[in-house]
Amino acid sequence: MTEWTVLHPIIDGGDPDNVVRLTHDLDAAARKTLAEPLRAYEKELRTGTFVSKRFWGPRLCALTVAGAALLPTASSVAVWITRNGLREDETGTDVIDLVVEVLRDRRVSWLPDLVDRLALRLPSDKLDPDLRHLVTSLAAHTGIAPLATDGLVYSWIATGNADTGRSALARRLFEVDGVGTMLEAGGWPDRLACDPALDRTMLLEGCLFRLRRGGKAADLNGFLLLHKALAPTREEVAMLAGDYEALLSNSHTPVAAMARHELLLTAQRTGR
């Protein structure tokens, strides 16, 4: 059994590789015994009045790996990883593979829960390549797709890579603020409209929902372009007439104009 007196100097020396070695094949009781002094050590580093980030920064990656190897629950590991980080600032070295290794070694039942908790911590307004890599690596190991979180929707539109099911991401697309501004540049209106894996009615209803919810003009314009790419039929407009009518009083003039145009065109075609 590894003692804290052995593990402590390894973490303190910023040596994540040896953290992996020392925590390999520990049983649950041994991990629990080491988790308590690990938490106390991290608290001491972060709250000491003499401590600056430059002092404890090199230890963070070793702390991250140790927490992944020792802490008892998905929630505690998710908080620990996002607090301490996955990359050493000065060297640029990441410990993503080491974190995956120690978590796989533990054979715990809560790995899928951890994947979802980490996915929920992905930012919805910028890319976090390291955390995203960890999420996708752990998801690949569990064989269970992560939740379609705001952060995964953002990374899908920003990079074009779907890290979970496209249908699930597309359904969430209309709920994430800011992604509309990226749709035109990525050619997303046509890509989404022509994707056979996506339900057309879901996309159309999602567009109308997003336009009705309102927001910044640049964001709404992206969904207007998606609506245009979908080119709804008169039957579809008639089916969703109530949603279009609700947009007639929209404060964003192009949205109201689109709704008026679609309703008038459908009325002319049906002779109403």
Side-chain angles (χ1 to χ4, degrees):
M1 173 179 168
T2 299
E3 300 289 343
W4 176 246
T5 53
V6 176
L7 183 59
H8 176 206
I10 298 300
I11 299 173
D12 206 48
D15 186 355
D17 291 283
N18 269 318
V19 171
V20 175
R21 179 180 61 82
L22 290 172
T23 57
H24 179 64
D25 277 344
L26 292 177
D27 60 25
R31 294 179 195 275
K32 182 178 180 180
T33 299
L34 290 168
E36 185 175 347
L38 175 68
R39 284 188 169 115
Y41 170 72
E42 189 220 23
K43 183 177 180 180
E44 179 185 352
L45 284 180
R46 290 185 176 277
T47 60
T49 56
F50 65 93
V51 172
S52 67
K53 185 175 180 181
R54 186 173 181 81
F55 173 80
W56 50 257
R59 297 160 172 79
L60 290 180
C61 283
L63 271 171
T64 296
V65 175
L70 301 176
L71 296 179
T73 63
S75 59
S76 60
V77 171
V79 171
W80 185 275
I81 288 173
T82 51
R83 184 166 68 229
N84 290 301
L86 293 161
R87 186 175 296 273
E88 211 278 290
D89 288 342
E90 292 189 7
T91 65
T93 304
D94 74 75
V95 290
I96 299 167
D97 290 343
L98 297 181
V99 170
V100 173
E101 182 178 347
V102 296
L103 287 168
R104 291 177 63 179
D105 179 53
R106 297 184 66 173
R107 301 179 181 88
V108 289
S109 62
W110 43 256
L111 268 188
D113 183 28
L114 176 61
V115 172
D116 288 341
R117 288 176 182 273
L118 291 172
L120 285 166
R121 289 176 173 272
L122 284 165
S124 61
D125 58 354
K126 63 180 180 180
L127 291 174
D128 185 337
D130 290 340
L131 186 55
R132 178 180 168 222
H133 183 188
L134 179 60
V135 168
T136 56
S137 296
L138 290 174
H141 171 64
T142 64
I144 301 174
L147 290 173
T149 63
D150 290 4
L152 286 181
V153 170
Y154 181 91
S155 67
W156 178 42
I157 299 302
T159 68
N161 297 317
D163 296 319
T164 190
R166 292 203 309 282
S167 292
L169 289 169
R171 283 193 295 272
R172 292 290 331 285
L173 176 68
F174 308 101
E175 302 172 18
V176 181
D177 290 333
V179 295
T181 61
M182 301 189 292
L183 294 180
E184 182 176 11
W188 281 102
D190 288 335
R191 291 170 67 178
L192 292 167
C194 297
D195 190 334
L198 302 181
D199 182 77
R200 176 181 171 82
T201 301
M202 178 273 292
L203 290 174
L204 188 55
E205 290 178 339
C207 263
L208 299 178
F209 162 79
R210 183 65 187 86
L211 294 171
R212 186 174 182 180
R213 187 160 69 88
K216 295 182 179 179
D219 208 7
L220 297 181
N221 287 341
F223 293 102
L224 280 171
L225 291 171
L226 175 55
H227 181 274
K228 181 179 179 181
L230 288 166
T233 65
R234 65 183 182 184
E235 290 80 13
E236 288 171 328
V237 174
M239 177 182 68
L240 298 170
D243 295 300
Y244 282 98
E245 289 168 359
L247 294 175
L248 292 174
S249 59
N250 194 281
S251 60
H252 187 54
T253 303
V255 172
M258 176 277 293
R260 187 179 306 108
H261 171 77
E262 294 293 346
L263 289 169
L264 286 174
L265 192 61
T266 298
Q268 291 170 1
R269 288 172 176 172
T270 57
R272 293 169 59 187

